[in-house]
Amino acid sequence: MRFKKSVQDILNKQVNAEFWSAYLYLSMSAYLAGKGLNGLANWMRVQYQEEVSHAMKIFDYVIARGGEMKLEPIERVETEWAGVKEIFESTYEHECKVTDMIHNCYEVALKERDHATANMLQWFIDEQAEEEESALEILDKLKLVGDNGAAMYMLDQELGARTFVDATQAE
Ligand code: FEO
């Protein structure tokens, strides 16, 4: 079946949004590194790598289907935050927005009876549930940590152990 323009357009937009997310998390990583929180900075850097892999999964899919990929400019991202808790609050809120965008893509695909695209997007629907959950989990830990420097040190150590695994290549 021919690849519909409405599906192609929304997937192009989603690629841009995934790259924007990557840029946002890399900016957060730089901010955290600047505060000496290298473990948290590492977690965000892995998050950046995940977002690039998300963008590329859609990018490759559009091209494989014979669609057109046109890369648009990436909007600027924040570079300053009030603190660590605010960073993870923004992360959680941003992931909720991305979830909405993915659901929107999915609905467009279904409306166009493009079941192959809907099927590809199903991976993202599951991934988004995990993305929201992991941001919330860290936010909960940060609430427990509060102003306790020793507890923050432990959390920084824990998040420093995160490594990038390209989940888009798992299936
Ligand atoms: Fe690609 Fe964090 O959503």
Side-chain angles (χ1 to χ4, degrees), residues 14 17-19 21-22 25 47 50-55 58 91 94-95 98-99 102 123-124 127-128 131-132:
Q14 193 61 35
E18 299 290 344
F19 276 125
S21 303
Y25 294 139
Q47 195 64 21
E50 276 201 1
E51 298 305 347
V52 171
S53 73
H54 294 170
I58 302 173
T91 300
H94 179 62
E95 288 303 330
V98 175
T99 301
I102 293 289
W123 183 89
F124 282 89
E127 175 71 7
Q128 279 312 118
E131 292 272 81
E132 286 183 26

Side-chain angles (χ1 to χ4, degrees):
M1 191 199 286
R2 224 186 99 235
F3 199 41
K4 293 267 171 52
K5 185 165 184 316
S6 57
V7 175
Q8 175 176 289
D9 287 351
I10 203 157
L11 293 181
N12 267 253
K13 258 179 122 172
Q14 193 61 35
V15 167
N16 188 273
E18 299 290 344
F19 276 125
W20 189 85
S21 303
Y23 210 44
L24 173 69
Y25 294 139
L26 192 59
S27 180
M28 288 175 170
S29 179
Y31 174 91
L32 291 163
K35 300 282 172 205
L37 294 163
N38 293 334
L40 272 72
N42 170 68
W43 192 93
M44 275 300 172
R45 195 185 172 106
V46 172
Q47 195 64 21
Y48 147 80
Q49 290 174 290
E50 276 201 1
E51 298 305 347
V52 171
S53 73
H54 294 170
M56 293 313 296
K57 184 177 174 78
I58 302 173
F59 178 100
D60 288 339
Y61 174 80
V62 171
I63 289 173
R65 284 285 304 273
E68 258 185 16
M69 245 339 292
K70 289 207 192 294
L71 296 178
E72 296 290 336
I74 299 168
E75 294 282 325
R76 70 173 296 280
V77 292
E78 294 294 317
T79 54
E80 287 292 333
W81 288 269
V84 174
K85 194 156 78 63
E86 286 73 10
I87 284 195
F88 283 89
E89 277 165 358
S90 296
T91 300
Y92 175 65
E93 281 163 21
H94 179 62
E95 288 303 330
C96 292
K97 258 188 237 162
V98 175
T99 301
D100 274 351
M101 293 179 83
I102 293 289
H103 290 177
N104 194 28
C105 291
Y106 187 77
E107 278 158 28
V108 169
L110 284 186
K111 199 169 146 263
E112 297 287 9
R113 301 178 55 80
D114 185 341
H115 293 279
T117 298
N119 195 33
M120 183 276 293
L121 289 166
Q122 189 65 53
W123 183 89
F124 282 89
I125 292 171
D126 297 340
E127 175 71 7
Q128 279 312 118
E130 281 178 34
E131 292 272 81
E132 286 183 26
E133 194 185 324
S134 60
L136 264 190
E137 206 178 291
I138 296 172
L139 204 46
D140 284 345
K141 285 182 182 173
L142 282 168
K143 283 177 188 157
L144 285 174
V145 165
D147 292 330
N148 185 324
M152 181 60 103
Y153 176 79
M154 295 294 290
L155 182 61
D156 193 57
Q157 295 282 106
E158 182 190 324
L159 299 186
R162 186 186 190 195
T163 55
F164 175 63
V165 178
D166 191 350
T168 68
Q169 302 299 319
E171 71 266 35

